[in-house]
Amino acid sequence: MAVFTPVSLDDLSGWITQFPLGKALSIRGISSGIENSNFFINTDSGEYVLTLFEKLEAEQLPFYLELMRHLAERGILVPAPVANRDGKILHQLNGKPAAIVSKLAGESQLAPQPVHCAELGAMLACMHMAAEDFPIRQPNLRGLEWWLQTTPTVLPYLPPELQQLLSSEVKFQQDFAAGQVYAELPLGPVHADLFRNNAMFVGENLTGIFDFYFAGCDTWLFDLAVTVNDWCVDLDSGALDLPRLQAMLDAYRAVRPFTAAEQQAWQPMLRAAALRFWLSRLYDFYMPRAAEMLTPHDPGHFERILRLRISEAVPALA
Amino acid sequence: MAVFTPVSLDDLSGWITQFPLGKALSIRGISSGIENSNFFINTDSGEYVLTLFEKLEAEQLPFYLELMRHLAERGILVPAPVANRDGKILHQLNGKPAAIVSKLAGESQLAPQPVHCAELGAMLACMHMAAEDFPIRQPNLRGLEWWLQTTPTVLPYLPPELQQLLSSEVKFQQDFAAGQVYAELPLGPVHADLFRNNAMFVGENLTGIFDFYFAGCDTWLFDLAVTVNDWCVDLDSGALDLPRLQAMLDAYRAVRPFTAAEQQAWQPMLRAAALRFWLSRLYDFYMPRAAEMLTPHDPGHFERILRLRISEAVPALA
């Protein structure tokens, strides 16, 4: 279970008095998440999620929490940080930065159908536009700079064929990011980790998206590509599932039409999104921290996705 | 149906572009509510509630909407007003003040059990405390002053026996409100209309309370008494249902213990809460506006409740 810092009901009971939530009634660790310790907490006023930030730097946290507040205030269905009596949303518990956010109703849809992908695509476009005027800027900390820095660390562990794939793809992405098309892509705060387990549905209705702790400023197209590479692929083969892909793109496009630059950048961006997760999984696989030992992800999944995004024709965005 | 100002999908489609909610997909009038026109709207980013304010004065609206925002920011489960790109939550549509708020999950529990009353009691106490530092002050516009002003208007329509009951109760409440015990009651922003149809549950879990358009600053005990007089009575006879009453009071008290003054004021306050709705229903019955014609409430219900709160022993608050 991914709880690194235990929190007892006793710990919680005193701490929670700064919020107008009444008494803490119960606390229960959540077994997902590799970056934070998460808990469902029950209070007199309802159920919430408590997060203790294990690795994120204190100066990065306002970006994530204020972004969630900004989006929630604009009606985007995301967990809303709970302010204490002084209006503060970032706190300290058991020596760690901590926050309480509202709990989304529903469950993750791990076998999404086109209707789910359409819901998500539309909300993603709305989210991009709602975040456009968010005043805090923080880069995607798992972007190109991180790829360039991390690649030399993992390369020595890889067999020659994978060394070749990784090196050449990073080079390709470096060139792509330096080009004119990339420079024209619209950008802003993005989720950057919108996998199937980070959205909730009640039936076919999307009730919200969560886990903004990889969010950062990046191109909107990158965010869409990350999302497509998880929601619209066959998880065994990594191949794109065209009905789901079409549903997501149609719904996104209906809210915000794609620019000419985005249409040109689509296939390179799908590769970039695959590279980002292949690389982080390689890194976690070969350089495991205590946390990742508990929830190993197979790097091969995104290696397959990357190979397919390189080799296969990708339907045009237009 | 209580929609006084029609809003078409066409009307909505242009107007909604100021919000980051994507396109308007559908709109459907809501048949409850006698003060506003309410609609469920579906947009690319989910389902929301649109309200057009029909009677409330423009200068009163910030109190209601900002109170909801204040409570939502503090984790109290209430509809959160949706801000447009300029951060504004109060708008104009089809010539009326208008707002979009988030939609609560679940359904009203019209036959509440003690477990529902306990959920509501705890949340009500949390809400009172969360609203304590809300900076805008606005009186309960259906308080003593309104009773004194409205009573002479309806008296001529009543048979002698009811004239006597109304006159003497208003006099009793005037004296009560002028006394020392009343002066010591804790107060702040209260909901003031928390009937069964203004709360949502999923199973036994309260998912939120809504319709803050009668909210105002009043004693917390008045708010509790209004709530008890609806949730904890037999709707046929108006008699208190002791298991539900005990569940609500225990849950409220566990969050915020009652003061000595509140314990003394309990029975007079239950009478005040009954008087408030008897009087408004008498007023709407004899002085109907177009809206009330559509949703007539029997004034006799709160007449019975008032009589019982006067004549029957009420379990102590302690």
Side-chain angles (χ1 to χ4, degrees):
Chain A
M1 193 176 73
V3 167
F4 315 111
T5 302
V7 178
S8 70
L9 190 55
D10 263 8
D11 296 334
L12 184 62
S13 294
W15 183 76
I16 209 168
T17 57
Q18 69 185 299
F19 302 93
L21 303 179
K23 283 190 315 305
L25 304 176
S26 67
I27 180 165
R28 171 164 63 93
I30 303 175
S31 61
S32 68
I34 58 171
E35 302 282 326
N36 309 311
S37 295
N38 293 297
F39 306 84
F40 290 130
I41 60 173
N42 262 291
T43 79
D44 284 315
S45 67
E47 202 172 5
Y48 302 84
V49 175
L50 166 70
T51 297
L52 270 62
F53 300 99
E54 300 287 345
K55 296 169 31 192
L56 300 171
E57 305 291 332
E59 59 265 33
Q60 294 162 12
L61 294 175
F63 177 85
Y64 308 121
L65 292 170
E66 294 293 349
L67 177 59
M68 290 158 76
R69 171 144 78 176
H70 178 96
L71 294 172
E73 283 176 359
R74 279 153 188 81
I76 304 299
L77 302 175
V78 301
V82 175
N84 71 359
R85 293 188 211 291
D86 301 326
K88 277 183 51 188
I89 56 180
L90 179 57
H91 313 280
Q92 196 87 12
L93 176 58
N94 289 1
K96 298 282 165 61
I100 296 178
V101 302
S102 61
K103 182 170 177 288
L104 300 173
E107 295 175 357
S108 289
Q109 177 48 264
L110 298 180
Q113 299 301 307
V115 62
H116 303 107
C117 294
E119 288 270 308
L120 198 72
M123 191 195 277
L124 189 63
C126 290
M127 193 203 79
H128 288 161
M129 297 177 76
E132 205 172 0
D133 63 340
F134 180 62
I136 312 178
R137 295 279 131 173
Q138 184 165 292
N140 172 6
L141 299 172
R142 292 284 180 282
L144 178 63
E145 202 173 320
W146 186 83
W147 309 343
L148 293 170
Q149 172 196 319
T150 306
T151 297
T153 312
V154 301
L155 269 184
Y157 296 91
L158 301 181
E161 189 216 3
L162 293 190
Q163 288 191 355
Q164 163 60 24
L165 178 65
L166 180 58
S167 299
S168 68
E169 185 63 23
V170 169
K171 179 72 176 66
F172 174 84
Q173 291 296 334
Q174 203 172 2
D175 294 345
F176 167 54
Q180 184 55 37
V181 166
Y182 190 94
E184 290 172 14
L185 297 175
L187 48 78
V190 301
H191 186 286
D193 190 35
L194 193 45
F195 280 49
R196 300 179 189 193
N197 56 337
N198 286 337
M200 291 292 196
F201 288 85
V202 170
E204 295 183 348
N205 292 319
L206 181 58
T207 56
I209 58 178
F210 61 102
D211 196 350
F212 280 78
Y213 304 115
F214 279 113
C217 293
D218 207 328
T219 64
W220 289 344
L221 198 66
F222 176 77
D223 208 18
L224 182 62
V226 167
T227 308
V228 160
N229 271 343
D230 185 60
W231 288 78
C232 308
V233 302
D234 178 285
L235 289 188
D236 290 328
S237 69
L240 287 171
D241 179 277
L242 294 187
R244 278 183 272 151
L245 175 65
Q246 215 53 56
M248 183 174 287
L249 296 185
D250 285 348
Y252 187 101
R253 179 195 298 117
V255 178
R256 186 188 71 80
F258 297 112
T259 67
E262 287 182 309
Q263 294 176 32
Q264 289 179 64
W266 184 223
Q267 182 152 5
M269 199 59 90
L270 284 167
R271 293 167 57 166
L275 172 66
R276 177 259 178 262
F277 286 95
W278 184 37
L279 189 52
S280 67
R281 290 184 178 187
L282 285 172
Y283 182 81
D284 291 340
F285 188 79
Y286 291 111
M287 244 86 32
R289 300 159 293 162
E292 277 70 28
M293 303 287 290
L294 302 169
T295 55
H297 281 297
D298 169 24
H301 176 63
F302 274 101
E303 177 202 328
R304 282 188 293 278
I305 289 184
L306 176 59
R307 286 183 190 279
L308 286 169
R309 288 312 88 81
I310 294 172
S311 64
E312 281 192 350
V314 168
L317 207 54
Chain B
M1 194 176 71
V3 167
F4 315 113
T5 303
V7 178
S8 71
L9 189 56
D10 263 7
D11 296 333
L12 184 62
S13 294
W15 184 76
I16 209 168
T17 57
Q18 69 186 299
F19 303 93
L21 303 179
K23 283 192 314 306
L25 305 176
S26 67
I27 181 165
R28 170 164 64 92
I30 304 175
S31 63
S32 68
I34 58 172
E35 302 282 326
N36 309 311
S37 295
N38 294 296
F39 306 85
F40 290 129
I41 59 173
N42 261 291
T43 78
D44 283 315
S45 67
E47 203 174 4
Y48 302 84
V49 176
L50 166 70
T51 297
L52 270 61
F53 300 100
E54 300 287 344
K55 295 168 31 192
L56 300 171
E57 305 290 334
E59 60 265 31
Q60 293 161 13
L61 293 175
F63 177 85
Y64 308 121
L65 292 170
E66 293 292 348
L67 177 60
M68 291 159 76
R69 170 143 80 175
H70 178 97
L71 293 173
E73 283 176 357
R74 279 152 188 81
I76 304 298
L77 302 175
V78 301
V82 175
N84 71 0
R85 293 188 211 289
D86 301 326
K88 276 182 53 187
I89 56 179
L90 180 57
H91 315 279
Q92 197 87 12
L93 176 60
N94 289 1
K96 299 283 165 64
I100 296 178
V101 301
S102 60
K103 180 168 178 288
L104 300 173
E107 296 176 357
S108 289
Q109 176 48 265
L110 299 180
Q113 299 301 306
V115 62
H116 304 106
C117 294
E119 289 270 309
L120 197 72
M123 190 193 275
L124 189 63
C126 290
M127 192 204 80
H128 288 162
M129 297 175 76
E132 205 174 358
D133 63 340
F134 180 63
I136 312 178
R137 295 281 132 172
Q138 184 165 292
N140 172 5
L141 299 173
R142 292 285 180 282
L144 178 63
E145 203 173 319
W146 186 82
W147 309 344
L148 293 171
Q149 172 197 319
T150 307
T151 297
T153 312
V154 300
L155 269 184
Y157 296 91
L158 301 182
E161 190 216 4
L162 293 190
Q163 289 193 352
Q164 163 59 24
L165 178 64
L166 179 58
S167 298
S168 68
E169 186 63 22
V170 169
K171 179 72 177 67
F172 173 85
Q173 292 296 335
Q174 203 172 2
D175 294 345
F176 167 55
Q180 184 55 37
V181 166
Y182 190 94
E184 290 172 13
L185 297 175
L187 49 78
V190 302
H191 186 286
D193 191 34
L194 193 45
F195 280 49
R196 300 179 190 193
N197 56 338
N198 285 337
M200 289 293 197
F201 288 85
V202 170
E204 295 183 347
N205 293 318
L206 181 59
T207 55
I209 58 180
F210 61 101
D211 196 351
F212 280 77
Y213 304 114
F214 279 114
C217 292
D218 207 327
T219 65
W220 289 344
L221 198 66
F222 176 77
D223 208 18
L224 182 61
V226 168
T227 309
V228 159
N229 271 343
D230 184 59
W231 289 77
C232 308
V233 301
D234 178 285
L235 288 188
D236 290 327
S237 69
L240 289 169
D241 178 276
L242 294 188
R244 278 182 272 152
L245 175 65
Q246 214 52 55
M248 183 173 287
L249 297 185
D250 285 350
Y252 187 102
R253 180 195 296 118
V255 177
R256 185 187 73 81
F258 296 114
T259 67
E262 288 182 308
Q263 294 175 32
Q264 289 178 64
W266 184 223
Q267 182 153 7
M269 200 59 91
L270 284 167
R271 292 168 57 167
L275 173 64
R276 177 258 179 263
F277 287 94
W278 185 36
L279 190 53
S280 67
R281 290 186 178 187
L282 285 173
Y283 182 82
D284 291 340
F285 189 80
Y286 291 112
M287 243 87 30
R289 299 160 292 163
E292 278 70 29
M293 304 287 290
L294 302 170
T295 55
H297 281 296
D298 169 24
H301 176 62
F302 274 102
E303 177 202 329
R304 283 189 292 279
I305 289 184
L306 175 59
R307 287 182 189 280
L308 286 169
R309 289 311 89 81
I310 294 172
S311 64
E312 281 192 348
V314 169
L317 208 54

